Amino acid sequence: MTQRRWLLVVYTTFALAFIGLLMFFGGVVMELTTSRRGAAAVDGISPYTALALGGLCFTALMLALCFVFVGLMLARQTRALGSGYGDAYRLIERFQFRDAIPLLERSIREGKETSEVLMLLTSAYAYTGQLAKAQATADRAVELYPNDPTSYITLANNYRLQAAYSEAAQMLMEAAARAPDQPILWAEIGFSQWYAGDQEAAVEAFERAASHAMPAQYGVRVFYRLANAYQAAGDMNNAVKATAKMMSARDGLATWKVTLRALEGTAYGQALRYEIAAIEQALADADAGNLG
């Protein structure tokens, strides 16, 4: 069973548990507000009480099944990705890259050299300044999984941390060729192309990303770039629309500010810091009604 199907099963059990909870509360409310005079009893219990108890039992059963499925998912993940993957992932989320490296290396020694493990290990090496190891690990991911877009994203991330933006954009294009309908991927292509100086290609990538729904953290940067590009081209109608969408996604900047902690000391981190400051200024100007 694929990861997506496992998640679907878990979400379904949660939904069914919620329905059981509604049955419980509905039965309790009906019992309290409706006269039981003339209502048929079931073994001395009113129908509404029976409904509430049935709903509660159904909820308990669905939650138990949900925990079973979650346990099976974790066991499956451990078998597929190695015993250290989960802990390493949580360490990387907290930017504790040095602590994550031994766990990921252990996963590889266990024979779990998956694209996900290699991607995390590449990032951990890169963020701790071990660029040669990061490059070798990213190359290994592409060698082992040439048809997996994650492998090319891994290599692109390593190039980006080295400020090799043209190479990063090229690898991201390889990933997009294997997963063409991913707006986040097109947004990342646009960022790399913009930093590489190919602004015309970047705008095309941003427009492709903007044709799909995006998380706010990507939307705020994409629409900032598009607003500037449209304004420079004299297309004020689209510039205003892009500015409005940038403003609606402004909460996404908080995620990038957290990311800056991991990028401290890198050329890309410095470039991103300047970009965030420029977006904050653009938002302030838009709030003040000064749209240029």
Side-chain angles (χ1 to χ4, degrees), residues 236-255:
M236 296 308 298
N237 185 41
N238 279 325
V240 170
K241 290 179 180 178
T243 299
K245 291 180 180 179
M246 175 190 69
M247 295 177 70
S248 68
R250 66 196 308 159
D251 291 343
L253 276 185
T255 303

Side-chain angles (χ1 to χ4, degrees), residues 92-97 126-128 160-161 165 195 217 220-221 225 252-280:
I92 285 178
E93 283 188 322
R94 298 196 295 268
F95 307 124
Q96 296 174 306
F97 301 107
Y127 287 129
T128 55
R160 184 176 57 189
L161 287 173
Y165 300 119
Y195 285 135
Q217 69 181 94
V220 68
R221 291 180 65 192
R225 292 298 184 188
L253 276 185
T255 303
W256 294 113
K257 289 180 178 179
V258 172
T259 303
L260 286 174
R261 290 168 49 197
L263 297 171
E264 189 173 353
T266 66
Y268 175 62
Q270 189 69 11
L272 182 58
R273 188 179 301 277
Y274 286 138
E275 182 180 346
I276 290 173
I279 294 173
E280 289 181 323

